[in-house]
């Protein structure tokens, strides 16, 4: 049956200021809701009062989760909002937004009380903080107190019900925000006849070097649908829609201080199957962390140093240990960006000085010349595909970024994994077992009998005509089949 959407209130009289709707039901009606609703996707907006620890508001969300209904707010959010020690843990990262309040709020106010309706507020200057608080604590209505000491900070947050909204201006905003929110999250009913699962694929159509090109994305969608998975593309504005889905597939370049990581964290918190998961993103996207992880676990890498300054002793030790040339990398660079090669002491000092302006640590590595880098794709600790990426002509990397923004890349070979030297495969699998059981791309170099791991990427390139050149459609099928396996396990 098609999706259902209900707004649940303590008593239908609480809805008197708003237009009547068949979608608005009382808590008692929801309690008696027929179990046949489980055959469709049911979404609940819990607007009940929650003045008691185990009141109707709490039980509404608890029942919804037990019935496999998607509910806002979740039980976790309700519990977090009951204790300041818990909700303050969710306030990390708001400092910049709060600091900017000083420039938005005129006068010498030291306290601000606001009500947030689905991420919207009456005072437009408070919109940035309202949106971010709603993303952290998805509730229909939040009441927040901001306090200014040396800096602005969140002093208190609590969930309130529709019955607490008395001002006409606030009632109007609540009604308008509810309409915009429901249209954004639940635009149309989903047909459930063909598809057993819904998978969100996070993409950025404007990304210059995405992990998958448009043709590969189409292949993922087709393969998913053949397996009974409805694959839908979403963007960075769709964070709050994640509870609609059973899984999340990230096909954007990931980073920690980025919406891709927030999507992975929220998907994991909502119980979705997610590739790649936030732990994998954390471990792969920072080259300093990865280098230390590989070193401690005795996985062969190029000679490596982690550097924080440019003093004489540091330069002397690096040169003696690594020799020239030396490759310098910032921890969170990608696609050969944030890197340079030093041939002399002067170049080494200058390169370090430049990179340390944007990062407190820089990775310095021994330079190993090879005609190509190996890339081994690994899924669930099994080899999936193998490529050799060749260096750009007259350049030392597989990508060369021009000053005008253009990018050159070298050639490639795609071959079956059984043709890969066993030492290369073994090193790739040993490295990914330290990360997790997701989808990874391991970059390695081979020089004679020496095989070293350069890095592990958490969302490797899968492009039409490159990584799929040997397996073809089977490559997309394998990845979608792994989603299917995990979503089936999740449902059970």
């Amino acid at each position: 049956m098609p999706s259902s959407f209900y707004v649940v209130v303590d008593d239908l009289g609480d809805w008197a200021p708003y237009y009547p709707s068949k979608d608005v039901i009382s808590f008692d009606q929801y309690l008696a809701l027929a179990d046949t609703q489980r055959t469709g996707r049911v979404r609940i907006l819990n607007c009940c009062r929650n003045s008691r620890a185990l009141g109707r508001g709490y039980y509404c969300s608890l029942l919804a989760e037990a019935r496999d209904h998607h509910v806002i707010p979740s039980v976790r959010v309700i519990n977090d909002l009951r204790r300041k020690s818990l909700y303050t843990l969710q306030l990390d990262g708001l400092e910049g937004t709060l600091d900017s309040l000083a420039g938005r709020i005129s006068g010498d106010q030291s306290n601000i009380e606001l009500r947030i309706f689905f991420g919207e507020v009456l005072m437009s200057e408070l919109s940035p903080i309202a949106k971010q608080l709603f993303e952290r604590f998805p509730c229909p209505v939040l009441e927040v107190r901001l306090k200014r000491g040396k800096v602005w900070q969140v002093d208190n947050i609590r969930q309130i019900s529709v019955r607490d909204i008395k001002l006409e201006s606030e009632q109007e905003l609540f009604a308008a925000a509810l309409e915009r929110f429901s249209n954004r999250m639940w635009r149309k009913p989903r047909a459930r006849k063909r598809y057993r699962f819904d998978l969100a694929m996070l993409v950025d159509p404007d990304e210059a070097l995405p992990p998958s090109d448009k043709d590969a994305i189409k292949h993922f969608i087709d393969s998913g649908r053949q397996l009974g998975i409805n694959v839908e593309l979403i963007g960075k504005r769709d964070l709050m829609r994640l509870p609609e889905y059973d899984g999340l597939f990230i096909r954007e370049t990931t980073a920690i201080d980025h919406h891709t990581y927030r999507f992975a964290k929220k998907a994991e918190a909502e119980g979705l199957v997610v590739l790649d998961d936030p732990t994998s993103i954390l471990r792969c996207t920072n080259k300093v962390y990865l280098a230390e992880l590989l070193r401690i676990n005795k996985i062969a890498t190029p000679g490596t140093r982690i550097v924080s300054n440019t003093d004489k002793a540091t330069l002397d030790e690096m040169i003696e240990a690594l020799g020239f040339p030396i490759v310098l990398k910032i921890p969170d660079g990608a696609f050969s960006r944030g890197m340079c090669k030093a041939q002399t002491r002067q170049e080494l000092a200058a390169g370090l000085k430049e990179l340390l302006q944007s990062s407190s640590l820089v990775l310095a590595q021994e330079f190993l010349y090879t005609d190509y880098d190996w890339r081994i794709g690994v899924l669930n600790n099994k080899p999936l595909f193998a490529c050799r990426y060749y260096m750009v002509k007259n350049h030392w990397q597989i990508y060369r970024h021009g000053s005008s923004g253009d990018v050159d890349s070298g050639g490639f070979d795609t071959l079956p994994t059984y043709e890969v030297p066993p030492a290369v495969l073994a090193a790739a699998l040993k490295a990914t077992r330290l990360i997790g059981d997701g989808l990874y791309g391991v970059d390695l170099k081979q020089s004679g009998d020496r095989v070293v791991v350069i890095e592990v990427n958490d969302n490797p390139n899968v492009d039409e005509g490159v990584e799929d050149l040997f397996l073809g459609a089977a490559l997309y099928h394998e990845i979608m089949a792994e989603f299917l396996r995990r979503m089936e396990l999740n449902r059970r």
Side-chain angles (χ1 to χ4, degrees):
M1 65 180 291
S3 302
S4 300
F5 166 48
Y6 296 107
V7 177
V8 182
V9 293
D10 286 82
D11 184 273
L12 291 179
D14 294 348
W15 200 255
Y18 310 101
Y19 288 113
S21 170
K22 61 180 176 59
D23 297 328
V24 179
I25 61 175
S26 69
F27 175 79
D28 290 332
Q29 287 174 314
Y30 180 62
L31 194 62
L33 193 67
D35 196 50
T36 54
Q37 291 288 353
R38 290 178 62 89
T39 60
R41 185 64 62 100
V42 181
R43 299 172 173 87
I44 304 297
L45 277 180
N46 175 5
C47 292
C48 294
R49 296 190 294 277
N50 205 40
S51 56
R52 292 190 293 128
L54 296 178
R56 289 189 166 196
Y58 177 84
Y59 278 114
C60 178
S61 289
L62 190 70
L63 285 170
E65 292 183 6
R67 293 171 174 180
D68 200 25
H69 296 172
H70 293 282
V71 62
I72 293 176
S74 66
V75 171
R76 180 188 63 82
V77 168
I78 291 174
N79 284 333
D80 284 354
L81 289 174
R82 288 197 174 280
R83 292 181 177 87
K84 191 168 186 176
S85 60
L86 291 179
Y87 69 66
T88 51
L89 296 174
Q90 308 293 328
L91 299 178
D92 286 346
L94 292 180
E95 295 84 2
T97 305
L98 287 166
D99 288 346
S100 67
L101 279 178
R104 291 194 179 98
I105 304 300
S106 59
D108 57 354
Q109 285 180 270
S110 58
N111 289 280
I112 299 174
E113 293 190 356
L114 64 149
R115 287 182 170 180
I116 301 172
F117 307 96
F118 301 99
E120 300 185 30
V121 285
L122 288 171
M123 297 173 64
S124 59
E125 58 267 37
L126 298 178
S127 291
I129 189 66
K131 179 180 178 182
Q132 291 188 48
L133 287 173
F134 177 64
E135 287 179 351
R136 285 163 170 76
F137 308 101
C139 285
V141 190
L142 287 169
E143 189 170 73
V144 179
R145 184 170 64 248
L146 305 176
K147 185 177 181 179
R148 177 158 58 182
K150 291 183 179 180
V151 294
W152 282 101
Q153 58 186 338
V154 177
D155 186 51
N156 187 59
I157 312 175
R158 71 185 186 103
Q159 171 195 358
I160 63 174
S161 72
V162 292
R163 188 175 180 178
D164 299 312
I165 308 171
K166 305 295 186 182
L167 296 177
E168 185 175 342
S169 58
E170 290 185 341
Q171 291 173 349
E172 289 177 356
L173 179 58
F174 171 80
L178 169 59
E179 182 176 4
R180 284 188 286 268
F181 178 74
S182 58
N183 286 340
R184 187 168 69 248
M185 281 195 67
W186 304 314
R187 297 166 187 165
K188 57 184 179 182
R190 292 187 185 281
R192 301 297 291 178
K193 295 180 180 179
R194 293 178 54 197
Y195 304 118
R196 297 170 56 202
F197 297 100
D198 293 309
L199 176 67
M201 184 179 289
L202 180 62
V203 298
D204 177 2
D206 298 321
E207 186 175 2
L209 293 170
S212 288
D213 59 18
K214 292 180 180 179
D215 291 325
I217 296 296
K218 292 177 182 176
H219 293 315
F220 279 123
I221 293 172
D222 291 342
S223 294
R225 288 176 177 171
Q226 290 168 15
L227 292 166
I229 304 170
N230 181 44
V231 182
E232 182 177 336
L233 304 184
I234 64 171
K236 65 181 181 180
R237 298 182 183 276
D238 295 317
L239 181 69
M240 298 308 303
R241 294 184 60 205
L242 284 179
E244 290 186 57
Y245 301 96
D246 303 289
L248 171 67
F249 190 15
I250 299 176
R251 288 282 85 193
E252 283 191 53
T253 302
T254 53
I256 295 299
D257 188 18
H258 193 251
H259 67 266
T260 49
Y261 185 67
R262 293 193 291 274
F263 269 74
K265 287 284 288 183
K266 182 168 179 60
E268 185 178 69
E270 295 287 348
L272 278 65
V273 173
V274 53
L275 290 179
D276 265 319
D277 60 276
T279 300
S280 293
I281 295 174
L282 182 66
R283 291 175 176 173
C284 290
T285 55
N286 191 289
K287 293 180 175 65
V288 168
Y289 177 95
L290 188 61
E292 194 70 1
L293 183 69
L294 297 175
R295 182 188 70 80
I296 289 172
N297 287 277
K298 296 180 170 52
I299 293 179
T301 64
T304 300
R305 291 294 184 273
I306 299 171
V307 186
S308 62
N309 62 71
T310 60
D311 63 29
K312 181 179 183 300
T314 299
L315 296 180
D316 289 343
E317 197 279 332
M318 287 171 59
I319 294 169
E320 182 179 352
L322 305 179
F324 284 116
I326 294 175
V327 178
L328 302 175
K329 307 175 181 179
I330 60 172
D332 55 354
F335 293 102
S336 300
R337 290 173 290 205
M339 299 174 61
C340 65
K341 183 173 70 169
Q343 302 271 16
T344 66
R345 187 185 186 93
Q346 290 74 22
E347 290 179 359
L348 179 62
L352 277 174
K353 184 178 180 180
E354 180 181 350
L355 295 182
L356 284 169
Q357 290 178 355
S358 59
S359 174
S360 58
L361 294 177
V362 169
L363 203 70
Q365 284 190 327
E366 163 195 13
F367 177 69
L368 293 177
Y369 176 79
T370 56
D371 289 332
Y372 56 83
D373 286 352
W374 280 105
R375 165 66 64 83
I376 306 300
V378 177
L379 177 62
N380 195 22
N381 293 307
K382 297 176 184 176
L384 183 63
F385 64 83
C387 289
R388 291 184 293 216
Y389 300 138
Y390 290 85
M391 306 301 155
V392 177
K393 187 176 181 181
N394 300 320
H395 189 60
W396 60 283
Q397 295 169 290
I398 62 175
Y399 291 103
R400 178 168 53 195
H401 299 270
S403 56
S404 61
D406 56 314
V407 180
D408 293 330
S409 59
F412 65 90
D413 294 325
T414 306
L415 56 160
T417 56
Y418 57 76
E419 291 185 7
V420 177
V424 172
L425 274 186
L429 294 173
K430 188 177 179 181
T432 58
R433 278 193 287 269
L434 299 175
I435 307 298
D437 60 359
L439 174 63
Y440 311 110
V442 188
D443 293 343
L444 310 98
K445 283 184 179 290
Q446 181 184 25
S447 180
D449 293 333
R450 186 184 182 192
V451 174
V452 295
V453 174
I454 304 299
E455 61 187 27
V456 182
N457 301 280
D458 62 284
N459 62 343
N461 279 53
V462 178
D463 287 320
E464 185 188 56
V466 183
E467 288 78 15
D468 69 354
L469 204 56
F470 176 74
L471 287 176
L475 176 60
Y476 306 97
H477 178 90
E478 286 294 319
I479 295 172
M480 289 294 104
E482 180 63 17
F483 267 107
L484 177 63
R485 183 186 73 83
R486 296 185 186 202
M487 289 189 292
E488 286 177 335
L489 284 173
N490 223 19
R491 181 164 290 183
R492 288 201 293 269

